[in-house]
Amino acid sequence: MEISQHKTWITDFYQKRGWLQLSSSRRLNFLVEEVGELSQAIRKYEIGRDHPGDEVTTTQQDHDHIIEELADVLDEVLILCEKYNIDMDELTKHSETKLVNRFVTD
């Protein structure tokens, strides 16, 4: 599935559950929460358990957890794009243009 197809799918999924109409500030809170969970997943992958009570997991499970949390972050970004009518191609083009203008000197 391409990113634009997933954006349509996730938007429909949220709409059917009444989640799409939540305010942008609430959506931003969800994004921050997901970024925090991603941070924890990466920390666990990089340094292992950081509390003796943490469940022992395999490297593959830790890697899969990073994928899960990255997907959650992506979904929150896609919903914010939907709320502000931002096309994913426009978003990626803006990113590339900004980086080229900032860092490419030749």
Side-chain angles (χ1 to χ4, degrees):
M1 179 180 293
E2 293 198 17
I3 195 73
S4 60
Q5 292 171 308
H6 182 67
K7 181 177 178 251
T8 300
W9 183 89
I10 196 74
T11 298
D12 184 56
F13 185 87
Y14 276 46
Q15 182 70 42
K16 287 178 180 174
R17 285 156 182 78
W19 301 342
L20 196 61
Q21 78 277 6
L22 295 175
S23 69
S24 296
S25 61
R26 287 189 70 188
R27 292 261 55 97
L28 186 57
N29 286 339
F30 290 136
L31 174 60
V32 169
E33 179 181 328
E34 295 302 345
V35 169
E37 291 173 8
L38 174 61
S39 177
Q40 289 175 325
I42 289 172
R43 181 185 67 216
K44 186 171 184 187
Y45 184 83
E46 295 291 332
I47 66 172
R49 299 183 313 159
D50 75 342
H51 186 275
D54 286 349
E55 177 185 349
V56 176
T57 53
T58 66
T59 302
Q60 184 61 52
Q61 288 172 313
D62 293 343
H63 184 264
D64 291 347
H65 191 203
I66 291 172
I67 293 170
E68 176 186 344
E69 297 306 337
L70 276 170
D72 291 346
V73 167
L74 176 63
D75 287 348
E76 290 301 333
V77 169
L78 292 174
I79 291 301
L80 285 169
C81 285
E82 177 65 23
K83 291 185 83 61
Y84 290 103
N85 195 29
I86 298 170
D87 178 73
M88 292 307 299
D89 289 333
E90 176 187 351
L91 190 67
T92 56
K93 183 177 180 183
H94 179 79
S95 171
E96 291 171 14
T97 300
K98 179 180 78 172
L99 290 171
V100 166
N101 288 341
R102 219 179 256 177
F103 298 106
V104 177
T105 58
D106 52 348

